[in-house]
């Protein structure tokens, strides 16, 4: 599972790494100029030949347009080398600590639980990235209780110690801003201004958020993350639910499993929880009960509210999930939040409450999921187990008659 997840992240991570280490090497200007000039000449030959052939294929025309755009960009860079004075070059290459020039900002946008923090963690774990930056500083929602200037001054002294430092001679920072809430323009301007004052030149900023509004803060094209396709989600679901068993040897189980997976679509954490439940209870009657319970839950919410219950959970709004094994009790799901790997987590898993016979009345915290890949977040949920009204009324009547039901 861990290996496969890492492979899925590989392509996205490699794209992001280029942003962080771009311009990190310092080749001689003449070498860059000559190499770029040769590449542009080859591109021009290809474009001229393609234009002369009167290509009609739309896909091929799109490729030619992309090459032409790249050539224009390359020509601009080449002219920059040609027209930049020697003094300007020296000024640009000076490891002077601060400057007023614009800092590069990469926005990462995507819905809740899509993997924004996971992608950033994989990138920061890369040796090339860690070697390039003298500091990698993480800022989250609770860091914005004060102004950005104070936060950056404290740097590694922040209480949660989310700072990675190396001892190389480069004084280049990477600041990662990972927010659940919105970041308005005024707050961004204060933080960005602080970064320009305190951070060394050529430092970089990443800002990750659910809202596409942060794209206006970027200096480069935003990286947009999306949920896995249903086909990819089904592959994960099947792999976890069957474990080491061959699904082709258990076609009835496979049929039921696909029915459950279709109910939850591309909701990765929810599918992980249910797949674990199925794997730990490899009994066709239990699997069918899970399918029936899940179908009734989804149908109730879609018909009543027009939305999937797990989408309501992602918005941290209360959801009545119920309990499969104890139908006279209701499980109210309030909110889910992340805990870091070093923090303690509850012992009781939420799936044992939903699908099992765990005795739990009242409001409490349960463990939802522990990610097997960086940053190794644990997802904890706040829930309340209630007796249904007709059950509670029955208990009162029975107590009045001198009998107490358990």
């Amino acid at each position: 599972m861990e290996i496969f997840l890492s492979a899925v992240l590989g392509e996205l991570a490699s794209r992001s790494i280029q942003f962080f280490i771009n311009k990190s090497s310092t080749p001689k200007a003449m070498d860059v100029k000559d190499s770029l000039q040769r590449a542009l000449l080859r591109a021009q030959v290809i474009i001229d030949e393609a234009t002369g052939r009167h290509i009609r294929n739309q896909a091929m025309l799109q490729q030619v347009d992309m090459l032409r755009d790249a050539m224009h960009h390359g020509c601009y860079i080449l002219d920059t080398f040609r027209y930049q004075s020697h003094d300007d070059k020296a000024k640009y290459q000076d490891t002077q600590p601060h400057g007023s020039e614009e800092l590069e900002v990469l926005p990462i946008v995507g819905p809740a639980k899509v993997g924004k923090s996971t992608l950033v963690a994989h990138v920061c774990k890369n040796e090339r990235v860690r070697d390039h930056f003298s500091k990698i500083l993480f800022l989250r929602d609770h860091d914005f209780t004060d102004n950005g200037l104070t936060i950056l001054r404290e740097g590694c002294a922040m209480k949660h110690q989310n700072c990675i430092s190396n001892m190389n001679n480069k004084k280049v920072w990477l600041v990662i801003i990972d927010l659940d809430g919105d970041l308005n323009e005024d707050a961004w301007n204060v933080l960005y201004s602080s970064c320009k004052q305190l951070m060394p030149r050529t430092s970089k900023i990443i800002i990750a958020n659910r809202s596409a509004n942060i794209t206006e803060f970027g200096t480069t094209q935003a990286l947009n993350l999306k949920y896995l396709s249903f086909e990819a989600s089904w592959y994960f679901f099947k792999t976890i639910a069957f474990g080491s068993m061959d699904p082709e040897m258990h076609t009835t189980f496979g049929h039921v499993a696909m029915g459950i997976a279709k109910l939850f679509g591309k909701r990765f954490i929810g599918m992980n929880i249910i797949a674990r439940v199925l794997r730990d209870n490899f009994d066709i009657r239990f699997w069918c009960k899970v399918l029936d319970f899940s179908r009734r839950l989804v149908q109730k919410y879609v018909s009543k509210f027009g939305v999937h219950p797990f989408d309501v959970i992602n918005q941290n709004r209360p959801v009545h999930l119920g309990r499969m094994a104890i139908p006279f009790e209701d499980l109210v799901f309030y909110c889910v939040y992340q805990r870091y790997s070093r923090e303690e987590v509850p012992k009781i898993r939420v799936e044992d409450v939903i699908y099992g016979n765990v005795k739990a009345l009242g409001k409490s915290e349960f463990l939802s999921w522990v990610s097997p890949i960086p940053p190794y977040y644990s997802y904890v949920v706040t829930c309340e187990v209630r007796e249904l009204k007709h059950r509670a009324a029955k208990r009162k009547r029975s107590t009045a008659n001198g009998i107490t039901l358990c």
Side-chain angles (χ1 to χ4, degrees), residues 98-115:
H98 311 121
S100 60
E101 66 270 15
E102 297 299 307
L103 297 173
E104 290 187 278
V105 181
L106 171 66
I108 301 180
V109 181
K113 311 297 186 298
V114 76

Side-chain angles (χ1 to χ4, degrees), residues 80-343:
T80 301
F81 273 110
R82 284 173 175 163
Y83 306 139
Q84 191 177 37
S85 69
H86 177 75
D87 290 340
D88 287 339
K89 292 179 185 177
K91 183 178 178 181
Y92 179 79
Q93 294 172 355
D94 189 1
T95 66
Q96 293 292 326
H98 311 121
S100 60
E101 66 270 15
E102 297 299 307
L103 297 173
E104 290 187 278
V105 181
L106 171 66
I108 301 180
V109 181
K113 311 297 186 298
V114 76
K116 299 183 292 294
S117 299
T118 301
L119 173 61
V120 171
H122 270 256
V123 169
C124 292
K125 194 177 179 182
N126 184 277
E127 187 175 349
R128 291 157 58 199
V129 173
R130 295 172 72 94
D131 287 345
H132 178 63
F133 293 100
S134 57
K135 285 186 180 180
I136 301 180
L137 186 65
F138 290 80
L139 302 180
R140 295 182 172 85
D141 292 78
H142 55 272
D143 295 317
F144 287 85
T145 54
D146 200 350
N147 63 66
L149 189 64
T150 302
I151 294 169
L152 290 170
R153 279 175 177 165
E154 290 177 354
C156 293
M158 290 192 301
K159 291 182 179 178
H160 51 284
Q161 294 294 312
N162 282 327
C163 185
I164 306 168
S165 298
N166 64 32
M167 300 303 294
N168 63 21
N169 294 324
K170 300 174 184 176
K171 293 184 178 180
V172 183
W173 291 17
L174 171 61
V175 174
I176 297 166
I177 306 168
D178 192 357
L179 302 177
D180 290 327
D182 293 331
L183 180 64
N184 61 51
E185 187 173 356
D186 291 338
W188 168 254
N189 289 337
V190 170
L191 177 64
Y192 187 72
S193 176
S194 301
C195 289
K196 288 174 65 175
Q197 293 178 46
L198 294 172
M199 290 168 57
R201 293 176 181 175
T202 71
S203 297
K204 298 180 187 290
I205 301 173
I206 307 170
I207 177 169
N209 194 251
R210 301 175 190 178
S211 173
N213 293 336
I214 66 167
T215 57
E216 65 187 59
F217 305 143
T219 61
T220 186
Q221 184 176 0
L223 187 60
N224 289 282
L225 303 188
K226 299 180 180 179
Y227 289 121
L228 293 175
S229 66
F230 173 74
E231 293 77 11
S233 298
W234 162 245
Y235 180 85
F236 280 117
F237 184 81
K238 180 177 66 172
T239 301
I240 298 171
F242 284 90
S244 59
M245 291 175 284
D246 185 0
E248 294 185 6
M249 301 296 293
H250 304 277
T251 54
T252 304
F253 285 84
H255 175 75
V256 175
M258 183 164 283
I260 296 172
K262 287 180 179 178
L263 288 172
F264 291 93
K266 299 174 285 187
R267 298 162 183 88
F268 187 71
I269 293 181
M271 293 185 73
N272 261 272
I273 294 172
I274 297 173
R276 258 193 342 241
V277 171
L278 299 179
R279 181 192 61 200
D280 296 341
N281 299 271
F282 200 75
D283 178 272
I284 191 61
R285 290 173 297 182
F286 180 83
W287 284 36
C288 289
K289 286 181 66 176
V290 171
L291 174 59
D292 181 62
F293 177 79
S294 303
R295 182 183 289 126
R296 285 188 282 109
L297 173 64
V298 173
Q299 288 176 348
K300 180 180 76 172
Y301 265 83
V302 171
S303 62
K304 191 173 182 179
F305 304 107
V307 65
H308 195 285
F310 272 47
D311 292 338
V312 180
I313 287 174
N314 282 339
Q315 299 170 12
N316 276 341
R317 292 163 48 197
V319 177
H320 291 259
L321 296 178
R323 298 190 68 182
M324 187 180 79
I326 309 177
F328 51 82
E329 290 183 356
D330 186 21
L331 177 70
V332 184
F333 189 109
Y334 287 107
C335 60
V336 57
Y337 52 93
Q338 298 169 341
R339 285 188 179 172
Y340 304 112
S341 57
R342 62 178 176 273
E343 296 182 279

Side-chain angles (χ1 to χ4, degrees), residues 333-378:
F333 189 109
Y334 287 107
C335 60
V336 57
Y337 52 93
Q338 298 169 341
R339 285 188 179 172
Y340 304 112
S341 57
R342 62 178 176 273
E343 296 182 279
E344 290 187 8
V345 295
K347 303 297 183 184
I348 301 176
R349 302 183 306 178
V350 69
E351 62 261 37
D352 295 330
V353 181
I354 299 174
Y355 301 100
N357 295 306
V358 172
K359 293 182 179 180
L361 280 177
K363 202 168 186 179
S364 188
E365 292 182 341
F366 304 104
L367 179 62
S368 174
W369 188 56
V370 179
S371 174
I373 56 179
Y376 304 109
Y377 285 142
S378 296

